[in-house]
Amino acid sequence: MVKLTPPMGWNSWNTYGENINEQLIFETADRMAQSGLLGCGYEYLVIDDCWSLRERDANGRLVADPEKFPHGMKAVADYVHGKGLKFGMYSCAGNMTCAGYPGSFEHEFIDAATFAEWGVDFLKYDYCYHSPLIPGEYLYRRMGLALENCGRDILFSACSWGADETHEWIKTSAASMWRSTGDIVDTWESIKDLAAQQKKLHPFNGLGCFNDMDMLVVGMHGKGNVGLKGCTDIQYRTHFSLWAFLGSPLMIGCDIRDMSQETYATLTNAEIIGINQDPACRQPYLLKGFWHHDNLIAYAKNLAGGDIAIGLFNMSGDKANASFNLDELGLPGSTGKTLLATEIWTHKQAAVKNANISWELAPYDCAVFRAKVVDK
Ligand code: GLA
């Protein structure tokens, strides 16, 4: 399958870990459809690790845990599809999944066939307990081929955390997204760290195979499986803006049955999502004329149709003044053009003075502009 924009959806891991069950998935599917999340593009509902029994059946097939999923996985897929959503599941390139359930190693084709029978549309494929003798690229190619030949369109979501130079080979495997970082947790330090890790990896992101910076922690506020200290609503907004700007898949990780208005407003900002889903999927570039350090980052990205997205991100607890020059964007005075830049979260317009734009950022806040090229 060829996915043309970063996949969007919800995944069970961040909040529920192993505590998943049918009822919870049904309620989440209901909320995704009713709340408007599906309408905003969040279409994949993904069950992560811990859904199966610890043993395969006599035919070597994976079996859904009957206590957690008493009606079986096909019934779950049918329910999810009935809400207009797509259904995702999880397995692993090793003998076991990261939580110790059976992995797909040496069962790739039979597992792909099982997923196809159940009506699965998305497979997240982890890297725990993999053979030390067989290169990761061989393992991901195996499952990629198994999925391409299973008779159903299943999006392949690779999750080898960037290990073993994943960026160099992942596009050979039919993956539509690949985890370019380790696991996220619900702290500001984790968000900052994952954003920094991406810096070298932007050239590998783009149309058809997207760098996955891991599931969002927006709205978790310290609750659930990876909920630690939690973050503030402003920090979640900056986290969401960064993931969207950098072209990561947007997979919600909070309990959407119990979302605050702020969380909902962050996750459903259509203009921010528009930058993420821009059809050109161009590589973002760091603004070099800008005084960069770990705590203040600035990116621009050329959008389809000629607009430019500009993102200023204050990663620190101090307020900051960010300023950049239009020359770097390709608009020196000699072009006779300038920018009409509107900030998406506040709807304020930036003033352009001597081809410079300056903007005050509150602690941990960001500014994301959609800018039009206009006559001076
Ligand atoms: C790994 C992955 C996580 C999650 C867990 C499940 O750590 O990176 O995203 O899937 O396994 O055990």
Side-chain angles (χ1 to χ4, degrees):
M1 91 124 51
V2 182
K3 185 82 178 78
L4 296 178
T5 53
M8 294 172 66
W10 177 90
N11 174 300
S12 60
W13 183 254
N14 279 2
T15 295
Y16 301 104
E18 64 179 349
N19 300 315
I20 38 171
N21 61 60
E22 182 183 274
Q23 193 52 35
L24 159 67
I25 298 302
F26 290 172
E27 287 170 18
T28 301
D30 293 347
R31 286 293 290 158
M32 279 176 87
Q34 284 157 10
S35 64
L37 287 174
L38 172 59
C40 291
Y42 296 97
E43 58 177 342
Y44 289 99
L45 184 160
V46 182
I47 298 181
D48 208 282
D49 204 350
C50 311
W51 58 267
S52 75
L53 285 180
R54 301 260 175 193
E55 302 293 338
R56 291 173 178 269
D57 71 9
N59 301 317
R61 296 232 171 198
L62 291 167
V63 185
D65 183 334
E67 275 184 24
K68 293 175 178 169
F69 299 98
H71 298 93
M73 247 350 143
K74 173 85 172 64
V76 178
D78 288 347
Y79 190 93
V80 169
H81 290 150
K83 297 286 159 183
L85 297 157
K86 293 184 175 147
F87 181 51
M89 291 198 69
Y90 165 100
S91 190
C92 184
N95 279 320
M96 287 190 292
T97 70
C98 298
Y101 293 80
S104 289
F105 181 58
E106 305 287 36
H107 294 82
E108 291 84 359
F109 280 80
I110 192 173
D111 288 355
T114 304
F115 293 134
E117 270 167 33
W118 287 346
V120 170
D121 308 296
F122 176 115
L123 182 71
K124 173 172 169 181
Y125 204 52
D126 222 326
Y127 200 43
C128 285
Y129 303 106
H130 64 90
S131 160
L133 303 174
I134 306 176
E137 60 192 290
Y138 295 12
L139 297 172
Y140 279 88
R141 266 182 224 134
R142 275 196 206 188
M143 188 46 110
L145 273 176
L147 292 175
E148 295 266 292
N149 286 282
C150 75
R152 191 176 167 88
D153 227 359
I154 300 184
L155 188 151
F156 189 26
S157 165
C159 180
S160 58
W161 330 296
D164 302 332
E165 311 298 337
T166 310
H167 59 281
E168 289 180 2
W169 46 262
I170 195 61
K171 286 185 182 168
T172 66
S173 75
S176 294
M177 57 193 267
W178 66 283
R179 270 281 293 284
S180 48
T181 57
D183 286 13
I184 197 166
V185 291
D186 186 17
T187 64
W188 180 249
E189 291 71 28
S190 171
I191 290 167
K192 196 170 153 182
D193 178 40
L194 297 191
Q197 286 180 36
Q198 283 307 294
K199 265 192 199 162
K200 295 190 300 284
L201 296 170
H202 299 308
F204 302 95
N205 197 1
L207 212 66
C209 190
F210 300 97
N211 290 16
D212 174 9
M213 295 167 68
D214 205 358
M215 284 94 66
L216 300 163
V217 291
V218 176
M220 288 188 66
H221 290 294
K223 283 191 258 165
N225 187 39
V226 306
L228 295 176
K229 268 189 287 182
C231 300
T232 64
D233 284 322
I234 290 203
Q235 290 172 332
Y236 286 137
R237 200 168 73 177
T238 298
H239 158 47
F240 184 71
S241 303
L242 256 169
W243 265 230
F245 201 97
L246 299 181
S248 175
L250 299 176
M251 303 298 291
I252 300 172
C254 69
D255 181 354
I256 58 166
R257 299 169 308 166
D258 181 28
M259 255 183 308
S260 68
Q261 272 181 356
E262 287 83 355
T263 296
Y264 185 77
T266 296
L267 292 171
T268 58
N269 186 304
E271 286 178 277
I272 297 287
I273 293 174
I275 292 175
N276 180 259
Q277 298 288 304
D278 184 72
C281 297
R282 293 204 182 101
Q283 184 182 328
Y285 56 95
L286 275 171
L287 290 175
K288 294 201 186 98
F290 188 82
W291 191 58
H292 278 277
H293 49 80
D294 285 352
N295 284 327
L296 197 57
I297 42 186
Y299 279 104
K301 172 155 102 165
N302 286 7
L303 303 175
D307 286 357
I308 306 175
I310 299 153
L312 311 174
F313 305 93
N314 182 4
M315 308 307 283
S316 84
D318 300 320
K319 64 178 188 193
N321 199 292
S323 152
F324 59 93
N325 190 276
L326 302 196
D327 283 21
E328 206 179 333
L329 304 170
L331 291 175
S334 57
T335 59
K337 303 287 178 184
T338 186
L339 283 184
L340 187 65
T342 312
E343 204 284 318
I344 291 176
W345 293 107
T346 56
H347 308 293
K348 285 191 191 144
Q349 209 162 296
V352 183
K353 271 199 203 132
N354 303 325
N356 278 298
I357 289 183
S358 299
W359 197 265
E360 274 278 310
L361 292 166
Y364 303 114
D365 208 355
C366 68
V368 184
F369 302 90
R370 184 161 188 128
K372 294 209 166 300
V373 178
V374 294
D375 291 338
K376 253 206 292 193

